[in-house]
Amino acid sequence: MPALKELEEAFLRSKKDREFQRELNYLQKTYIGRPTPLYFAKRFTEHLGGAKVYLKREDLAHTGAHKINNALAQALLAKKMGKKRVIAETGAGQHGVATATGAAFVGLECEIYMGTEDMQRQALNVFRMRLLGAKVTEVSVGSKTLKDAINEALRDWTTNVHTTHYVLGTVFGPHPFPVMVRDFQSIIGKETRRQILDAEGRLPDYLVACVGGGSNAIGLFYAFLTNHESRLTTPIKMIGVEAGGRGIETGEHAARFAGGSIGVFQGCKTYLLQDEDGNVLGTHSVSAGLDYAAIGPEHPYLKDKGRISYTYATDDEALSAFELLSTTEGIIPALESAHALAEVVKLAPKLPREKIIIVNLSGRGDKDVQHVARIKGIEL
Amino acid sequence: MTSRIEKIFKILRKENKKAFIPYIMAGDPSLEKTRDIVLMFEECGADIVELGVPFTDPIADGPTIQRASERALKAGVTLKKVIVFVNELRQSTQIPIVLMTYYNPVLKYGEENFIKDAKDAGVDGVIVPDLPPDEGEEFISQSRKAGLSTIFLLAPTSTSDRIKKVAKASKGFIYYVTITGVTGSALLLDGSIETVLSEIRKYTDKPVAVGFGVSTPEEASVVAKISDGVIVGSAIVRRLHESPDDLRSYLISLREAINGLV
């Protein structure tokens, strides 16, 4: 608890600290490569034959996903707080890579917790983290995936709280994490808003993003959630896409809204996949980054307010969207982002050509290539 | 209303003795086995029994109790079954029983139903390590009304504000966690526990029991001298699986150490 208070104070101070903001701003430009482009996916659009599809290219950010926006900012904050060491959990490995990068950049010791199963799925990212000087620690308890990695990171943080900052990778966990991570990711939506006004002279009709913990979705949506926009005659429709895995009826999925109920987990109250005794259920998704039993608490809040709607895409739908974007645009998306694309594949053809959809292409698919080959039975 | 836990501490204080509070995970490896262990605890001089409720994500626990939790879950043990188990156990023993459960199973059970059923079954107190008193006001006041003791945790990092809050919210005793860390970590006997305990005593005269990391009779003896009770968990769970034949003599040695006989 005192650690959370210390973090909250440091975070609030950093928001008013001009020097910190200037440095962050400079690094966003020169190190992360922001603003990331907003790209009109012409051939993908033509293939679907409906609404115009734009991609917010977070896959072009340094390290290949939106995760760096948060990880670098938290690493700077940790340094400012006088911490010697940062730790993080990772599922797909993107947040682990981003944190290892941030730690290398500011010169802090770094340890990443990762479930055994995820380490196998994302072997490439494990090696990347090690190249960046991080220690990667295997978590072989529980379901051996992201949630267990978070448990282990929380245990580490409780133990080494004096020297260590926990770089939580998504809009989850105890306060101030959901607010802080949203703040660091909201640059995605701020840029997108400007870029679409430049490109089309108007705001989009739809925003679509995949939702694991929910940071890339909140990052894109947040700048569009202002009062002004909720008073528009036709408010922007925002859609979060969860992992439908092998289908909701099979129980092998990570669709918290479709299959979960309210619970308290890892420091927050939110939607959770749990059994009738309050134990957390195992999840399944082809993408490690969405394979998680709970969702950031702001998502249920925004769902209840009717501002965001949620749906899911199955493994198969995501895999076919993964291939479709690769062949029509020459862009290999992360399997996580492919879930958002799968929703666009269903949605765009039903809409007239003047409608505009923006998808958060939250990460690039290099890390998934081996995994996809394995699924297709191809030996590399 | 004076609870069984408060009565025990009153008697111990009068006799200038300290409480021995052993822990066992309910259902590890089976509830029948747990019943035998609880009775063994009592025979070996335990004052209060801490009974763990298995949970899939025990973030406050180290590897030993994590594994115990996994075994108990595999045996199909749930919060409901633990409450029924305590009810049955009450035919054999009246030793005060404190449940250690994470919050989500309680939430799913329903706070009100949980408090009522636990109390009716003969549970004396409850420790919910992931429920800070700030978030548990309703739970605390309901438990108070029902006569179920709520026991909260303090740690070396706790500020004076937190000490006051936890002292006020706790009934029966306060659980002092010796280290920043998880259950079963190594204990550090460098005088720091004493410093924090005397800080806590500035704000409350409620009994303070010390746990997380107490493993040997020597450690138990040192901790007993400066606190009101000693909680031993991981070391017991480990022995139960690694050298079950030594468990009884180990428990007796802890009891003697806490009595100052080492």
Side-chain angles (χ1 to χ4, degrees):
Chain A
M1 294 291 289
L4 293 171
K5 199 141 202 144
E6 181 195 358
L7 179 60
E8 184 187 18
E9 282 162 9
F11 166 61
L12 292 175
R13 251 197 326 274
S14 78
K15 285 185 78 155
K16 288 188 202 135
D17 182 344
R18 279 209 191 143
E19 197 193 323
F20 182 91
Q21 291 302 328
R22 204 165 24 230
E23 188 183 6
L24 183 58
N25 206 286
Y26 174 75
L27 292 172
Q28 284 167 341
K29 283 199 186 96
T30 58
Y31 189 75
I32 298 180
R34 305 207 70 88
T36 58
L38 181 70
Y39 166 72
F40 171 52
K42 190 160 170 280
R43 291 198 65 229
F44 187 65
T45 298
E46 280 166 6
H47 177 90
L48 297 176
K52 290 173 93 167
V53 181
Y54 279 85
L55 307 176
K56 177 61 174 166
R57 298 291 307 272
E58 289 301 297
D59 60 317
L60 293 177
H62 181 41
T63 72
H66 73 291
K67 291 290 183 189
I68 190 74
N69 300 329
N70 167 52
L72 183 71
Q74 284 202 46
L76 287 175
L77 195 60
K79 184 91 178 173
K80 194 118 193 156
M81 288 166 75
K83 301 292 180 186
K84 305 263 177 287
R85 175 174 175 263
V86 290
I87 54 168
E89 82 293 346
T90 197
Q94 289 304 103
H95 176 57
V97 167
T99 304
T101 301
F105 177 82
V106 297
L108 292 175
E109 202 185 311
C110 179
E111 183 165 355
I112 306 293
Y113 290 98
M114 191 169 188
T116 312
E117 194 178 315
D118 292 338
M119 283 177 79
Q120 286 161 4
R121 283 193 277 204
Q122 307 287 349
L124 190 66
N125 270 344
V126 174
F127 187 60
R128 282 173 82 195
M129 288 183 265
R130 287 180 176 149
L131 276 178
L132 291 160
K135 181 179 171 197
V136 182
T137 301
E138 186 175 352
V139 180
S140 57
V141 291
S143 64
K144 305 178 179 64
T145 59
L146 181 57
K147 90 176 167 72
D148 309 281
I150 294 178
N151 289 340
E152 211 48 41
L154 284 168
R155 290 182 189 116
D156 180 317
W157 198 30
T158 333
T159 309
N160 302 300
V161 59
H162 296 294
T163 58
T164 300
H165 170 64
Y166 177 18
V167 182
L168 188 58
T170 190
V171 286
F172 197 74
H175 179 73
F177 282 110
V179 173
M180 181 170 75
V181 178
R182 179 189 73 199
D183 203 67
F184 292 143
Q185 291 293 2
S186 60
I187 189 165
I188 302 172
K190 281 182 205 155
E191 287 174 5
T192 304
R193 205 169 188 283
R194 232 175 13 240
Q195 290 166 322
I196 195 68
L197 288 174
D198 280 351
E200 294 278 351
R202 70 176 186 90
L203 293 172
D205 302 289
Y206 289 85
L207 297 172
V208 184
C210 65
V211 187
S215 71
N216 91 79
I218 287 279
L220 175 64
F221 298 162
Y222 196 63
F224 297 90
L225 284 166
T226 57
N227 280 331
H228 170 70
E229 262 117 33
S230 64
R231 282 197 297 270
L232 291 176
T233 41
T234 47
I236 299 166
K237 293 190 179 62
M238 302 184 198
I239 304 170
V241 187
E242 299 184 278
R246 299 194 174 100
I248 305 303
E249 64 291 345
T250 65
E252 294 179 53
H253 61 84
R256 289 67 46 103
F257 286 118
S261 55
I262 287 180
V264 168
F265 184 55
Q266 292 172 338
C268 60
K269 187 173 186 180
T270 187
Y271 268 70
L272 180 64
L273 291 169
Q274 56 183 327
D275 65 17
E276 56 182 27
D277 296 298
N279 281 304
V280 180
L281 290 171
T283 50
H284 165 81
S285 170
V286 68
S287 79
L290 303 182
D291 198 352
Y292 183 53
I295 184 167
E298 196 169 2
H299 285 283
Y301 169 76
L302 291 165
K303 179 180 187 276
D304 287 350
K305 278 181 69 176
R307 286 302 288 126
I308 304 181
S309 60
Y310 294 83
T311 181
Y312 59 87
T314 63
D315 287 354
D316 290 344
E317 289 167 338
L319 283 165
S320 83
F322 175 88
E323 291 188 27
L324 183 62
L325 194 75
S326 302
T327 51
T328 55
E329 292 291 346
I331 298 171
I332 302 176
L335 280 175
E336 290 75 15
S337 320
H339 284 72
L341 293 165
E343 172 59 20
V344 174
V345 170
K346 294 179 216 169
L347 177 68
K350 289 187 256 173
L351 298 172
R353 282 165 200 276
E354 66 274 14
K355 294 287 181 190
I356 299 169
I357 301 174
I358 297 176
V359 193
N360 197 0
L361 198 69
S362 53
R364 71 173 84 126
D366 306 35
K367 69 179 174 62
D368 296 313
V369 168
Q370 279 178 316
H371 184 51
V372 172
R374 226 172 6 244
I375 291 169
K376 293 168 80 89
I378 299 164
E379 255 189 69
L380 296 180
Chain B
M1 189 169 54
T2 316
S3 69
R4 260 195 292 230
I5 299 173
E6 286 168 315
K7 266 182 214 152
I8 286 274
F9 276 107
K10 227 176 236 171
I11 295 166
L12 289 170
R13 240 176 219 186
K14 219 180 259 171
E15 297 174 355
N16 204 18
K17 277 187 179 164
K18 304 301 168 69
F20 172 34
I21 310 175
Y23 167 99
I24 185 79
M25 170 63 73
D28 170 32
S30 69
L31 285 171
E32 295 75 56
K33 184 79 191 162
T34 305
R35 179 180 178 277
D36 296 344
I37 304 279
V38 171
L39 297 177
M40 190 197 288
F41 283 171
E42 190 175 28
E43 285 160 24
C44 296
D47 298 296
I48 297 168
V49 170
E50 188 186 339
L51 197 57
V53 177
F55 181 53
T56 40
D57 297 84
I59 51 172
D61 287 302
T64 304
I65 294 179
Q66 285 174 42
R67 279 195 292 271
S69 192
E70 282 188 352
R71 284 189 293 264
L73 286 171
K74 211 170 256 175
V77 176
T78 61
L79 179 57
K80 268 189 201 113
K81 286 189 183 164
V82 174
I83 291 172
V84 172
F85 168 73
V86 171
N87 192 31
E88 286 164 8
L89 199 60
R90 281 300 175 221
Q91 292 173 1
S92 320
T93 173
Q94 296 309 312
I95 194 164
I97 292 176
V98 172
L99 293 189
M100 156 112 168
T101 174
Y102 288 87
Y103 182 65
N104 199 54
V106 173
L107 179 71
K108 196 72 184 170
Y109 198 110
E111 281 189 0
E112 238 184 288
N113 289 338
F114 165 74
I115 292 165
K116 185 183 180 299
D117 291 354
K119 180 69 196 169
D120 289 351
V123 172
D124 296 276
V126 55
I127 303 165
V128 188
D130 58 346
L131 179 70
D134 328 52
E135 306 285 345
E137 280 173 22
E138 188 60 27
F139 183 73
I140 295 164
S141 74
Q142 296 262 6
S143 299
R144 219 30 79 88
K145 263 185 237 156
L148 187 70
S149 297
T150 48
I151 294 140
F152 287 94
L153 278 63
L154 283 172
T157 49
S158 298
T159 57
S160 55
D161 274 356
R162 182 123 302 253
I163 295 174
K164 279 183 231 168
K165 210 172 263 178
V166 162
K168 188 160 171 276
S170 296
K171 194 155 164 74
F173 65 95
I174 294 164
Y175 193 138
Y176 179 67
V177 175
T178 55
I179 34 133
T180 56
V182 292
T183 54
S185 312
L187 188 68
L188 199 64
L189 293 173
D190 59 354
S192 59
I193 300 177
E194 216 166 345
T195 314
V196 185
L197 288 180
S198 60
E199 182 67 19
I200 296 171
R201 293 223 165 83
K202 279 189 203 157
Y203 302 99
T204 178
D205 59 358
K206 286 179 187 170
V208 182
V210 173
F212 280 43
V214 183
S215 163
T216 65
E218 291 71 27
E219 288 166 346
S221 151
V222 175
V223 170
K225 283 196 184 91
I226 54 177
S227 69
D228 300 296
V230 183
I231 304 162
V232 184
S234 300
I236 290 175
V237 173
R238 211 166 31 239
R239 239 171 213 87
L240 170 66
H241 292 279
E242 285 170 11
S243 50
D245 296 342
D246 302 341
L247 185 58
R248 184 178 289 270
S249 60
Y250 171 65
L251 292 169
I252 291 169
S253 68
L254 285 173
R255 174 74 267 181
E256 287 174 348
I258 292 164
N259 284 350
L261 297 175
V262 169

